[in-house]
Amino acid sequence: MTGRRRPTSPRPRRLLMSAVAAGALLATGCGALPGATGGSREPVTVVTWAPAGTTGPDTLNMSGMTAMAVTYGRWVNENGGLNGHELRVVTCDEADTPVGAANCARLAVEKKAVAVVGSYSRHGSSFMPPLETAGIPFIGGYGASEEEFSSYDSFPVNGGQSALLAGNARQLARRCDRVSVVRPDTLGGDGQAWLLKTGLTDADRPAPADIRAAEAATSYDDAADRALRAAGRSGGCVTAVLGSRTETFFDSFRRLEPSYGEVRISSVLGSVGQQMIDSTGGRKSPFEGAYVTGWYPAPSDSRWNEMRAVVRKHAFGDNRIDPDDAGVQTTWIAYTALNEIVKAIDSPQVTAGKVVRALGHGPRIETGGLTPPLRWRFSDTLGSSAYPRIVNSKVTFQVVRDGRLVEDKKGFVDVAETLSDASARG
């Protein structure tokens, strides 16, 4: 998740729409609900979309999010539905393209969805206009598009990559004398560097060395060399935010590191996660000891136990669902928020308009401690011109220890001040 949108390659519309239809058929439920009120409450239809990564070596695959949505639907319907309403989950392969995102949004309109929930797309300019026209709220997106933090029909559950970068600066300021930031040589990368600089200078640390790198490189030896030299032989840290190429960068980094001494490494969730740590050696991974900034509690935290139990019982062994993945976790939190909103509406019929009003004027939403309480009133937003829809500006500090992401600092850390300062100075 680096902020740059890759050029779109044309894809046959027939194939895309068949994938959309397949997703819809897969997830739509029917029949009486155990414990429901005898059909007196109308079903609630929602849509969840994400790219499935079916083609190309760099194609993004976030299919665990749609799989988690289907699993949540099975679980909640076996337990009386959403406040007595049958939950009908429709899924869509967003295909990581603007066309795919727009098609998924149109599917939500066609299905008369009351909300789009727990989804991933980098193409907010393609999916938000159809939703805004239809008055369909976008609840708990992953935070991969700018529109999620500017549209008044968007209700984010985290602070997106901006909060992660501001938090990463705060985390590094606690431990590092000097910081090198390796980021894409793109407009989005410029913003990443600015947030890290703002966070470090707010903490009375020197500005980071800004190391620009090609986003799709196959080797980062030059960038790693420059980052190591700037960090110094001791007390320095190197943080890399290169999305799926972060692993490639740290491969280059580790080959060069012995020449320079010990330097701590760092990144943010979305660039480094538990799955990457496991696939690169676990305890022997190059990420052992790395600092990682996240949105939510560490994967080992007991607050995830309910989600893990639901996956074990209702996912039927679906290996797309990794409970340690931030996308899967975001979908769980988004559906938890939807459940609370439907309870607050407490009506035989739930509509998109009622959901929007409840989100904007209803009670604070509890997520079992996975986020701070959430509410999207004007007074709850960050109040920043750059991030007008952020209501959760808190992050967590984690560290890789014995091959696992664990807590580096207890509780949430609020980065609202850094986000506001970065917006004002930018």
Side-chain angles (χ1 to χ4, degrees):
M1 197 175 84
T2 61
R4 184 177 74 86
R5 294 170 180 165
R6 293 196 299 274
T8 304
S9 57
R11 300 185 182 204
R13 178 177 175 85
R14 184 178 61 182
L15 291 178
L16 178 60
M17 294 310 295
S18 67
V20 168
L25 290 171
L26 169 69
T28 303
C30 58
L33 293 174
T37 55
S40 62
R41 298 203 161 204
E42 295 185 5
V44 170
T45 299
V46 299
V47 172
T48 297
W49 64 59
T54 53
T55 60
D58 291 327
T59 302
L60 197 64
N61 189 339
M62 301 295 288
S63 59
M65 297 178 70
T66 50
M68 183 71 247
V70 173
T71 298
Y72 188 97
R74 292 191 189 112
W75 170 63
V76 80
N77 286 336
E78 284 192 17
N79 291 277
L82 298 179
N83 199 34
H85 297 269
E86 177 191 356
L87 176 62
R88 295 180 175 176
V89 177
V90 179
T91 65
C92 183
D93 180 3
E94 182 263 4
D96 198 22
T97 68
V99 171
N103 283 339
C104 287
R106 284 191 284 269
L107 178 66
V109 176
E110 175 190 330
K111 294 293 183 180
K112 296 181 172 56
V114 305
V116 174
V117 186
S119 297
Y120 184 106
S121 178
R122 298 187 294 174
H123 307 289
S125 60
S126 295
F127 71 74
M128 279 307 309
L131 297 184
E132 290 170 339
T133 300
I136 298 174
F138 187 78
I139 304 174
Y142 186 88
S145 64
E146 295 178 4
E147 288 76 9
E148 293 176 53
F149 302 103
S150 59
S151 171
Y152 285 91
D153 283 314
S154 177
F155 301 86
V157 299
N158 61 51
Q161 189 180 51
S162 298
L164 293 181
L165 291 163
N168 193 229
R170 291 274 296 275
Q171 186 175 14
L172 295 175
R174 301 168 66 225
R175 307 284 179 83
C176 310
D177 296 329
R178 294 165 306 283
V179 174
S180 297
V181 53
V182 183
R183 49 81 167 191
D185 189 9
T186 62
L187 185 61
D190 293 344
Q192 294 171 9
W194 181 249
L195 276 162
L196 282 158
K197 178 181 178 180
T198 302
L200 287 167
T201 54
D202 280 354
D204 296 322
R205 288 293 190 181
D210 184 10
I211 311 298
R212 302 172 186 232
E215 193 171 25
T218 56
S219 173
Y220 289 97
D221 288 355
D222 178 65
D225 182 69
R226 286 183 285 137
L228 281 163
R229 289 184 184 279
R233 292 179 179 272
S234 63
C237 296
V238 173
T239 187
V241 187
L242 293 166
S244 62
R245 298 291 178 168
T246 301
E247 180 183 351
T248 304
F249 169 78
F250 280 119
D251 283 343
S252 299
F253 177 92
R254 287 306 190 196
R255 287 197 300 270
L256 296 173
E257 188 190 12
S259 302
Y260 292 88
E262 185 177 355
V263 177
R264 296 297 291 266
I265 63 174
S266 176
S267 191
V268 298
L269 284 182
S271 287
V272 171
Q274 188 60 55
Q275 187 175 44
M276 181 181 289
I277 296 163
D278 293 341
S279 68
T280 55
R283 293 181 180 180
K284 296 182 179 179
S285 166
F287 300 105
E288 181 68 20
Y291 301 126
V292 179
T293 306
W295 293 307
Y296 315 125
S300 57
D301 194 285
S302 62
R303 283 169 283 188
W304 294 113
N305 287 352
E306 182 179 34
M307 181 191 74
R308 292 180 181 279
V310 168
V311 170
R312 283 194 300 270
K313 185 174 180 180
H314 297 277
F316 304 145
D318 191 333
N319 60 13
R320 293 175 297 170
I321 302 178
D322 177 2
D324 294 341
D325 177 72
V328 169
Q329 293 171 351
T330 298
T331 300
W332 170 264
I333 291 169
Y335 272 90
T336 300
L338 174 71
N339 197 345
E340 294 301 307
I341 286 295
V342 173
K343 288 178 183 177
I345 293 171
D346 195 24
S347 170
Q349 183 186 45
V350 176
T351 65
K354 289 180 180 179
V355 172
V356 169
R357 285 192 293 275
L359 286 163
H361 303 284
R364 291 187 183 274
I365 302 301
E366 298 290 340
T367 61
L370 297 172
T371 68
L374 301 171
R375 189 170 58 184
W376 293 269
R377 296 181 181 180
F378 180 77
S379 58
D380 299 309
T381 59
L382 183 62
S384 160
S385 59
Y387 318 105
R389 296 299 290 167
I390 289 182
V391 298
N392 176 12
S393 56
K394 293 182 172 62
V395 297
T396 58
F397 293 168
Q398 300 171 32
V399 63
V400 182
R401 187 174 296 133
D402 294 327
R404 298 295 299 173
L405 275 167
V406 297
E407 187 179 77
D408 183 38
K409 176 180 170 61
K410 188 174 180 61
F412 291 101
V413 177
D414 196 345
V415 297
E417 184 177 353
T418 299
L419 290 171
S420 296
D421 287 349
S423 177
R425 296 176 196 171

